[in-house]
Amino acid sequence: MRRIIVVGGGAAGMMAAIQAAGPGNSVLLLEKNEKLGKKLYITGKGRCNVTNDCDVENLLAHVVTNRKFLYSAFHGFSSQDMKGFLTERGLKLKTERGNRVFPVSDHSSDVTACLARELSRCGVEVRLGVTVEKLVTKEEEGKTAAFADGEGLPHIAGVRMADGVVYGADAVIVATGGCSYPSTGSTGDGHRFASETGHEVTECFPALVPFVSPDAWCPALQGLALKNVNVAIYDGKKKLYEEFGEMLFTHFGVSGPAILSGSSVAAKKIRKKHLTLSIDLKPALAREQLDRRILKDFESGKNRQFRNALSDLYPAKLIPVMVERSQIPPEKRVNEITREERENLISLTKAFTLTLSGLRGFGEAIITQGGVSVKELDPATMESRRVRGLYFAGEVLDLDGVTGGYNLQIAWSTGYAAGRAAAEG
């Protein structure tokens, strides 16, 4: 019988514990929160976007950091496997736009409840409201540091709790999350555990997080949501990111699904310099088509003032800003607007630009970019190359993807790999 401890009861930790609970194994899941899956409850705006209904190649294509490392994990437990895992356990799923998979109930709590039931069925012992202080190796415990592999690597011995109690184990899986949404318990404990046991932890940044802009247009447009727009982020003339979808103006900058994924791509770059956001407000119309549309609107009310002739083209809240930025006098009659002025309006519509000066903090970040270096792990098992019997899974690792269920799939797949490997020893 193997004794396995899982530290962290989020997505990766629950999956790891379920897989570790093989025949005869004793699995202890330690979670410092008062309930399991606390972060799962708020994912997907409370609906839990559990995965993305695509093949492995598409999963890999939507990983931002260290995608090659995930090849084995995704092939070992894919999004199709995750869908099957949940449906076989009674959770009904549905697939929405962008192949995003949600529970039919639209309740994140149903996903957590499904996993909790499976933990119970597998005989996993769950302890809530307990804090792990550090990892303990056999070397530290005064036991032998000489192993059959001849490498002289330390071997995990267990964990020391905040009250000083040590729980012994043959294997420990660290699935404590990153630094995002610290209110859910993701306070970087796993990164500290990794550092204390000699692992490299890469610099961490907030990711899938809103952008900050110094431009006055943002507060003026606060609360305005734009659908079916094309957004692109530029470093000078170099395009870093492009996406079609929905975005939102806030008092501090911009947010929304199409924006958040861009933050993962731009996280490191924006710490060094300002970037530019370009929004195509009418991506379905080429310049010539947009020109005809504007002329048609102007023709229907030749004597209207410019500021009163845009209601069919833009949302009401956007019109004053478009008028100001177009530099066309607001009182000017539309039949007096020159071709050059109209061309400027078209250019503004196809490339409404904003300066991006930074990102919001971890308190608003959906995920963390950075973490335990994957160079020090076996990609097939998630086992450390520095400490035998120590595994890492989920957001604690230097792995991240864009929005759409990809980050949760990283958690499921790495948790699955770690749990299976720990069970076999």
Side-chain angles (χ1 to χ4, degrees), residues 14 49 56 74 102 108 178 226 235 240 242 266 270 335-336 358 372 374 407 419:
M14 287 189 284
N49 180 188
V56 170
F74 278 167
F102 295 90
S108 296
L226 298 177
D235 174 12
L240 302 177
E242 185 173 16
I270 204 167
N335 59 358
E336 297 174 350
V372 179
V374 297
N407 289 288

Side-chain angles (χ1 to χ4, degrees), residues 285 287-304 308-313 334-335 337 342 345-346:
L285 300 177
R287 287 184 66 94
E288 297 77 11
Q289 293 172 307
L290 181 57
D291 190 25
R292 289 196 294 271
R293 165 72 186 277
I294 292 172
L295 284 171
K296 181 180 177 181
D297 287 354
F298 286 0
E299 185 67 26
S300 65
K302 294 181 179 180
N303 293 318
R304 280 187 297 179
N308 297 324
L310 301 173
S311 58
D312 290 338
L313 197 59
V334 293
N335 59 358
I337 291 176
R342 205 170 67 247
L345 180 62
I346 293 169

Side-chain angles (χ1 to χ4, degrees), residues 92-324:
K92 295 180 180 180
L93 303 174
K94 60 181 178 180
T95 302
E96 298 185 357
R97 180 179 59 84
N99 294 324
R100 290 168 163 84
V101 179
F102 295 90
V104 169
S105 66
D106 284 332
H107 294 308
S108 296
S109 56
D110 289 342
V111 178
T112 306
C114 177
L115 292 165
R117 286 193 300 270
E118 186 65 8
L119 287 167
S120 178
R121 190 191 70 79
C122 292
V124 175
E125 181 184 356
V126 177
R127 296 187 190 177
L128 302 174
V130 295
T131 302
V132 175
E133 185 63 32
K134 68 174 296 183
L135 306 181
V136 179
T137 63
K138 288 183 177 180
E139 192 174 39
E140 287 180 293
E141 292 293 280
K143 299 176 182 178
T144 179
F147 299 97
D149 58 23
E151 296 179 13
L153 293 175
H155 196 295
I156 201 71
V159 300
R160 179 174 286 115
M161 307 303 289
D163 60 5
V165 174
V166 174
Y167 294 126
D170 299 298
V172 172
I173 302 171
V174 176
T176 51
C179 303
S180 60
Y181 288 140
S183 61
T184 64
S186 298
T187 52
D189 293 346
H191 297 155
R192 177 171 59 83
F193 297 155
S195 294
E196 289 172 350
T197 49
H199 298 80
E200 178 189 354
V201 177
T202 64
E203 188 175 1
C204 293
F205 307 92
L208 299 188
V209 65
F211 282 93
V212 175
S213 174
D215 293 354
W217 319 117
C218 289
L221 296 172
Q222 179 181 352
L224 174 62
L226 298 177
K227 295 183 178 181
N228 302 319
V229 295
N230 199 79
V231 301
I233 297 173
Y234 288 88
D235 174 12
K237 294 182 178 180
K238 182 181 179 181
K239 185 188 295 183
L240 302 177
Y241 168 83
E242 185 173 16
E243 185 61 85
F244 175 84
E246 183 177 347
M247 63 164 292
L248 173 72
F249 288 95
T250 68
H251 67 283
F252 56 77
V254 287
S255 186
I259 295 293
L260 294 178
S261 290
S263 68
S264 291
V265 177
K268 294 181 177 68
K269 186 78 70 174
I270 204 167
R271 289 171 67 90
K272 301 175 183 177
K273 59 170 73 173
H274 287 187
L275 304 174
T276 300
L277 173 68
S278 179
I279 308 165
D280 186 344
L281 299 168
K282 300 291 180 182
L285 300 177
R287 287 184 66 94
E288 297 77 11
Q289 293 172 307
L290 181 57
D291 190 25
R292 289 196 294 271
R293 165 72 186 277
I294 292 172
L295 284 171
K296 181 180 177 181
D297 287 354
F298 286 0
E299 185 67 26
S300 65
K302 294 181 179 180
N303 293 318
R304 280 187 297 179
Q305 293 180 333
F306 175 57
R307 63 185 173 192
N308 297 324
L310 301 173
S311 58
D312 290 338
L313 197 59
Y314 311 112
K317 202 165 192 175
L318 184 59
I319 290 173
V321 175
M322 295 298 290
V323 170
E324 182 180 352

Side-chain angles (χ1 to χ4, degrees), residues 13 19 25 43-44 46 65 72 78 92 116 121 223 237 249 259 272 289 330 347 354 387 394:
Q19 300 305 320
N25 288 340
T43 61
T65 307
S72 292
S78 67
K92 295 180 180 180
R121 190 191 70 79
K237 294 182 178 180
F249 288 95
I259 295 293
K272 301 175 183 177
Q289 293 172 307
S347 294
L354 288 169
V387 180

Side-chain angles (χ1 to χ4, degrees), residues 4-22 25-31 34-38 40-41 82 85-86 89 109-128 173 175 412 415-416 419:
I4 301 164
I5 292 176
V6 179
V7 185
M14 287 189 284
M15 178 58 74
I18 290 167
Q19 300 305 320
N25 288 340
S26 172
V27 180
L28 174 62
L29 176 58
L30 303 172
E31 169 54 56
E34 74 286 357
K35 61 183 178 181
L36 294 170
K38 194 166 184 179
L40 272 177
Y41 281 96
M82 186 58 197
F85 175 90
L86 293 173
R89 288 158 180 79
S109 56
D110 289 342
V111 178
T112 306
C114 177
L115 292 165
R117 286 193 300 270
E118 186 65 8
L119 287 167
S120 178
R121 190 191 70 79
C122 292
V124 175
E125 181 184 356
V126 177
R127 296 187 190 177
L128 302 174
I173 302 171
W412 307 131
Y416 180 92

